[in-house]
Amino acid sequence: TGLVLSHDLYFFVVTEFCICKYFIFLMIRRPPRSTLSSSSAASDVYKRQVVHGDSADNAGLHLVTVAELRGDKVLITREAHSGGEFGDTINPDPNCPVSVPEYRALTAADKIELNANESITKKTGLKSRNEDPEHGEGSGEATLYRFDASYPEGGVEDMVLLGQLNNAELARNLRVMYDRRLGYIRCGPTLVAMNMMTSYDTPDFPNGPFHPSLYDRFYDMKDRDKESPHCYALASHCYQQAFAEFTAVHNHADQAMIITGESGAGKTFTTKQILDFLAYVGSNKGNDKTRQVLTNRMLSTTPILEGFGNANMPRNPDSSRFGKLYRIFFDKQNQLMSGCSITPYMLEKSRVSSQQRKERNFHIFYRMLAEPKPVQDTWEVRKKVDAAKMTKEADKILQMLTDKDGTKHFRQQNGESLLGLDPVKRAMCRLERFEDYVYLNGGSAMVDVEYPRIYTDLPLEKRNFDDAFHMSHTMAALHGFFDEREVDTILKTAAGVLHLGNVKLLGDNDTCDGVDMSGVSGKGLSDAAALWQVEQNSDESGGKFGLVEACCKVTIPAGRGQTVQVMCNKGCLLYTSDAADEEDSVDLGGRRIIKKIKYLHIQNSVTTKK
């Protein structure tokens, strides 16, 4: 996500869906590995070590004692578990309903020989999780790390200041800081988000860690190192450095923030908080009304981007399936915001036509199909503790969904304020039920596989999608950038994708005999063609190309700048497989055909809003 300031001042906040476990370890320069000596083994300081399993399957952190030195090997025993700081695992929140078994991969009676130089010992005799699902842990491998006897009781807020810098001490410090209910911790210039959804009961943030009252506190920040670790502190530091006088060590106005982590780590949430803070300082603390209009428009893009680019994943119900580069421009003279541009990239297009178990397609499809819901039934209202706060929150939502000209993006019916897509718009898009669309049932490769689909909220799993509310929020945001006709075109384009997914190609993997024009397939084809304003069938006499042809043919170069359209085999049109398992196949038909819509419009001279 990029924030660009004028006169070449840049903030870059990049969010992406990357698999990057324990990335914090990669950012730290590791001290040279040292081998224990006989004298150090006898010393009480070095006698207490930490054995840390690998990152898989609930690997544990154990306190052990060096019993004997054997050359470059060390014989260790585990100290009896007495609760407190070290347990059988780095347990999650004690209030978490997940049951954590008592692991016995390393017991007090075990004597195990490990490498003495902080390298992984592969053959340890420890029980792995696979060998003993009930009491094993990790992969059975282990690493012996030096224990920091001088570690402070309250932990270390900046992990580069740890007395012993190794993986075990890092994991230990993360656990201590998490138990203090701190959402963030520093690692030099890097800010590490531990858990954005935990409850905060720290005196540092009496009104909550993201309350607007904190904006002024961090805006007036003089020294980031003396403040509590927080995303506002990082954003304020970058903002101040952008306008700071050049020195021998500070000779660039450009500033960059990169937000990365695995799915569910809190990238999107932290990005929102940083944007909110910069919008506040960029509008003169909300006092400059002209700038405030600009910052509000920047923030109003969020429901649009998330609706069309986020999806439910097994570990995260609102996972961003694309990256965003925000460029936010600030004026050099008055240090206020003067513009913004947003560039999305790396959209996971294959999700449109293929999803695995416990996943959903992009949010927008479910939001368009969601049944209307009273505002009082939204999660934001229901989570309030008393009736007065619930009413206040409901009024706040309705105010947010009302434009300045009085246009309401909700309906009044029988005394209730209903959220969701208006029935008139739904009929315009020819939408029916969730179950009627292949692209909402896993795609062609998964549509016949029996497994529970996720269409709506899952209260038992605490997954509240609130699709009706978010649809109204998306409509309000869209009307802030587009007129009514353009918004209708956007809705029709999205709905056409669902209808196209129901089109069935005839033939086998080596041939294509056209499109099934009957039943559900024929209806899907006609609905998609009508919504996209393209011809359903080709008209050779009029030189018009149709959607049927787009489904069955591909364009290939014929030399000398010429191209020719040829019939493609069904296997090429529908599937590409990088594994023998059919469940790993990805339906590419929709992706390829969508790219041809613009071509069809150009060829047929169809007038339409893009």
Side-chain angles (χ1 to χ4, degrees), residues 21-33:
K21 287 193 174 183
Y22 301 108
F23 63 92
I24 183 61
F25 299 151
L26 305 179
M27 301 176 183
I28 298 171
R29 182 180 179 185
R30 187 178 185 140
R33 291 176 174 174

Side-chain angles (χ1 to χ4, degrees), residues 19-302:
I19 302 303
C20 186
K21 287 193 174 183
Y22 301 108
F23 63 92
I24 183 61
F25 299 151
L26 305 179
M27 301 176 183
I28 298 171
R29 182 180 179 185
R30 187 178 185 140
R33 291 176 174 174
S34 59
T35 302
L36 290 173
S37 63
S38 299
S39 58
S40 64
S43 169
D44 184 63
V45 175
Y46 295 102
K47 198 173 183 180
R48 305 177 72 197
Q49 309 289 321
V50 174
V51 173
H52 184 229
D54 77 339
S55 61
D57 297 320
N58 293 305
L61 185 64
H62 303 281
L63 192 63
V64 299
T65 299
V66 174
E68 183 181 346
L69 183 66
R70 298 177 177 177
D72 60 351
K73 302 289 184 180
V74 173
L75 186 67
I76 58 99
T77 60
R78 181 188 169 191
E79 295 186 358
H81 171 51
S82 59
E85 185 176 347
F86 285 85
D88 284 325
T89 62
I90 303 178
N91 291 325
D93 189 328
N95 297 321
C96 179
V98 178
S99 176
V100 179
E102 179 186 355
Y103 295 108
R104 298 172 186 168
L106 186 62
T107 69
D110 288 333
K111 292 185 178 181
I112 297 174
E113 190 176 70
L114 303 176
N115 297 335
N117 62 351
E118 295 192 3
S119 61
I120 296 176
T121 306
K122 296 186 178 297
K123 296 181 179 180
T124 62
L126 299 175
K127 299 176 183 178
S128 69
R129 187 71 181 274
N130 290 333
E131 295 170 337
D132 188 348
E134 184 176 0
H135 299 301
E137 73 184 67
S139 62
E141 301 174 353
T143 307
L144 184 67
Y145 289 110
R146 185 166 296 176
F147 179 80
D148 183 7
S150 62
Y151 180 80
E153 182 178 353
V156 179
E157 289 190 349
D158 192 337
M159 291 197 288
V160 299
L161 302 178
L162 288 171
Q164 293 290 337
L165 199 54
N166 55 54
N167 288 358
E169 287 299 319
L170 289 170
R172 173 191 182 189
N173 191 59
L174 287 171
R175 175 183 178 176
V176 171
M177 301 305 287
Y178 174 82
D179 287 342
R180 287 179 55 189
R181 294 295 187 270
L182 296 180
Y184 294 101
I185 187 174
R186 277 194 297 270
C187 185
T190 304
L191 184 69
V192 182
M194 293 186 290
N195 187 355
M196 298 296 91
M197 307 309 293
T198 188
S199 57
Y200 294 82
D201 52 6
T202 170
D204 286 347
F205 312 120
N207 296 318
F210 304 107
H211 194 271
S213 62
L214 293 174
Y215 291 164
D216 286 334
R217 167 181 164 180
F218 287 101
Y219 176 76
D220 298 328
M221 179 186 71
K222 302 300 182 183
D223 187 352
R224 179 192 172 200
D225 294 335
K226 293 182 180 179
E227 275 288 356
S228 300
H230 201 286
C231 63
Y232 294 164
L234 176 62
S236 180
H237 175 76
C238 290
Y239 177 79
Q240 293 175 16
Q241 288 295 299
F243 300 101
E245 294 290 336
F246 285 176
T247 65
V249 295
H250 174 61
N251 53 14
H252 288 88
D254 303 350
Q255 299 295 308
M257 285 183 282
I258 300 177
I259 301 178
T260 184
E262 61 181 344
S263 180
K267 300 182 298 296
T268 301
F269 181 83
T270 297
T271 301
K272 290 180 183 178
Q273 299 304 322
I274 290 176
L275 292 176
D276 285 342
F277 177 83
L278 291 174
Y280 175 76
V281 300
S283 60
N284 192 18
K285 300 184 178 181
N287 296 321
D288 190 319
K289 300 304 179 183
T290 302
R291 311 282 179 171
Q292 194 170 23
V293 171
L294 175 63
T295 58
N296 288 341
R297 285 178 64 83
M298 176 189 72
L299 297 176
S300 67
T301 62
T302 299

Side-chain angles (χ1 to χ4, degrees), residues 288-297 398-409 476 479-480:
D288 190 319
K289 300 304 179 183
T290 302
R291 311 282 179 171
Q292 194 170 23
V293 171
L294 175 63
T295 58
N296 288 341
R297 285 178 64 83
L398 296 180
Q399 183 180 1
M400 178 183 65
L401 298 178
T402 303
D403 295 340
K404 291 184 178 181
D405 61 2
T407 302
K408 293 180 171 58
H409 299 285
H479 280 86

Side-chain angles (χ1 to χ4, degrees), residues 311 351-356 359-370 426 431-444 446-447 449 451-456 467 494-495 497-502 587:
R351 177 160 301 276
V352 171
S353 52
S354 177
Q355 313 94 44
Q356 299 301 310
E359 296 181 2
R360 295 207 315 177
N361 210 318
F362 291 111
H363 287 326
I364 188 62
F365 300 125
Y366 303 91
R367 293 175 181 179
M368 294 174 66
L369 287 164
R426 181 169 175 148
L431 295 174
E432 299 179 7
R433 304 176 307 158
F434 296 106
E435 297 84 354
D436 296 331
Y437 300 101
V438 172
Y439 282 172
L440 299 186
N441 288 275
S444 299
M446 299 288 287
V447 67
V449 179
Y451 67 93
R453 268 67 177 186
I454 304 175
Y455 300 129
T456 57
D467 289 321
V497 173
L498 289 180
H499 294 301
L500 185 71
N502 289 344
D587 183 349

